[in-house]
């Protein structure tokens, strides 16, 4: 079974036209080529902002390899539309319309003895790392609530601290939805020392595994 596609972060304004077409030809007379929002974002980052692909991949929350595939598909679609005189339609895609930039953000990591805890809901504490311009500038430990964290108010607490990204080991779909609902993006599949995991994300070598923990499901609040 293919791994489910993880959400890609995009920073696109609502004012972007949804269709581009050759002048003077009615849209109904043109064949259309689709360009998804994540493909458009890849072009914006790589060709518009001239970012290296490693940095652009980090901005979108995907691996370097995945970013390269998205960008290649985008360029093929644009070429088909331009060379073939077709309309180019911007469509949805598996995206989260929110940007997390390492220029300044706070990252929470479920930890136990300074290592990434494999279970978000039962970790010992959350270590919050403050990042500014690709550097770690501070860290703060927030004790975890007693019992299952996914049923406590810890998510609201982290959001109140200004956390915009959580780097974790395993986590269920319900917990991911809860975190996303509080404006916190999730990156799963991390292990080892918490600080090293954050540094790996800054280096562009850590991306969401897309794996869902089902060991201790709690319905909509699984972790």
């Amino acid at each position: 079974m293919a791994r489910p596609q993880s959400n890609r972060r995009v920073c696109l304004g609502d004012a972007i036209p949804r269709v581009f077409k050759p002048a003077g030809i009615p849209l109904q007379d043109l064949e259309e080529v689709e360009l998804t929002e994540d493909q458009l974002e890849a072009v914006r980052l790589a060709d518009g902002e001239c970012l290296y692909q490693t940095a652009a991949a980090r901005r979108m929350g995907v691996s370097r390899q995945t970013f390269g595939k998205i960008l290649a598909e985008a360029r093929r679609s644009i070429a088909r539309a331009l060379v073939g005189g077709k309309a180019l339609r911007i469509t949805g895609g598996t995206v989260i319309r929110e940007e997390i930039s390492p220029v300044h953000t706070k990252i929470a990591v479920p930890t136990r003895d300074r290592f990434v805890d494999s279970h978000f809901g039962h970790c010992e504490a959350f270590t919050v790392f403050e990042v500014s311009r690709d550097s770690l500038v501070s860290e703060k430990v927030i004790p975890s609530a007693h019992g299952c964290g996914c049923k406590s108010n810890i998510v609201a607490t982290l959001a109140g601290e200004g956390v915009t990204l959580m780097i974790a080991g395993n986590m269920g779909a319900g917990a991911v939805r809860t975190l996303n609902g509080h404006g916190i993006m999730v990156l799963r599949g991390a292990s080892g020392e918490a600080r090293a995991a954050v540094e790996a994300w800054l280096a562009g070598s850590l991306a969401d595994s897309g794996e869902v923990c089902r060991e201790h499901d709690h319905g909509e609040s699984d972790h």
Side-chain angles (χ1 to χ4, degrees), residues 28-103:
Q28 60 266 28
D29 295 337
L30 291 169
E31 182 180 343
E32 293 187 5
V33 176
E34 288 190 353
L35 185 74
T36 59
E37 288 189 358
D38 53 334
Q39 292 171 346
L40 178 59
E41 177 73 351
V43 171
R44 184 184 74 82
L45 294 173
D47 299 333
E49 294 194 13
C50 299
L51 295 181
Y52 288 116
Q53 289 196 14
T54 297
R58 184 171 66 224
R59 292 271 289 271
M60 288 187 67
V62 298
S63 68
R64 161 67 179 78
Q65 182 180 21
T66 297
F67 180 85
K69 291 179 180 178
I70 297 171
L71 181 61
E73 291 169 357
R75 288 171 172 168
R76 280 195 294 269
S77 294
I78 293 171
R80 285 176 54 212
L82 293 178
V83 175
K86 302 173 182 179
L88 186 67
R89 181 176 294 276
I90 310 301
T91 62
T94 309
V95 300
I96 295 177
R97 298 174 67 86
E98 180 175 346
E99 180 183 30
I100 295 178
S101 169
V103 171

Side-chain angles (χ1 to χ4, degrees), residues 151-210:
K151 290 184 178 294
S152 71
N153 66 344
I154 189 62
V155 175
T157 299
L158 294 173
E161 289 283 337
V163 171
T164 54
L165 172 66
M166 177 170 289
I167 295 177
N170 292 324
M171 187 181 298
V176 173
R177 286 192 293 270
T178 300
L179 286 158
N180 289 169
H182 283 77
I184 301 175
M185 300 300 101
V186 177
L187 188 154
R188 293 156 291 184
S191 61
E193 291 187 358
R195 187 182 185 90
V198 174
E199 290 172 341
W201 178 77
L202 285 171
S205 59
L206 188 64
D208 185 27
S209 68

Side-chain angles (χ1 to χ4, degrees), residues 53-146:
Q53 289 196 14
T54 297
R58 184 171 66 224
R59 292 271 289 271
M60 288 187 67
V62 298
S63 68
R64 161 67 179 78
Q65 182 180 21
T66 297
F67 180 85
K69 291 179 180 178
I70 297 171
L71 181 61
E73 291 169 357
R75 288 171 172 168
R76 280 195 294 269
S77 294
I78 293 171
R80 285 176 54 212
L82 293 178
V83 175
K86 302 173 182 179
L88 186 67
R89 181 176 294 276
I90 310 301
T91 62
T94 309
V95 300
I96 295 177
R97 298 174 67 86
E98 180 175 346
E99 180 183 30
I100 295 178
S101 169
V103 171
H104 187 85
T105 192
K106 288 186 178 180
I107 303 168
V109 183
T111 52
R112 186 174 297 275
D113 296 328
R114 302 186 68 81
F115 284 80
V116 178
D117 196 307
S118 60
H119 292 290
F120 156 78
H122 297 286
C123 66
E124 182 178 75
F126 290 89
T127 304
V128 177
F129 296 89
E130 185 173 2
V131 173
S132 181
R133 299 192 179 280
D134 290 330
S135 299
L136 292 173
V137 296
S138 69
E139 62 181 86
K140 174 182 179 180
V141 176
I142 299 177
S144 180
H146 294 295

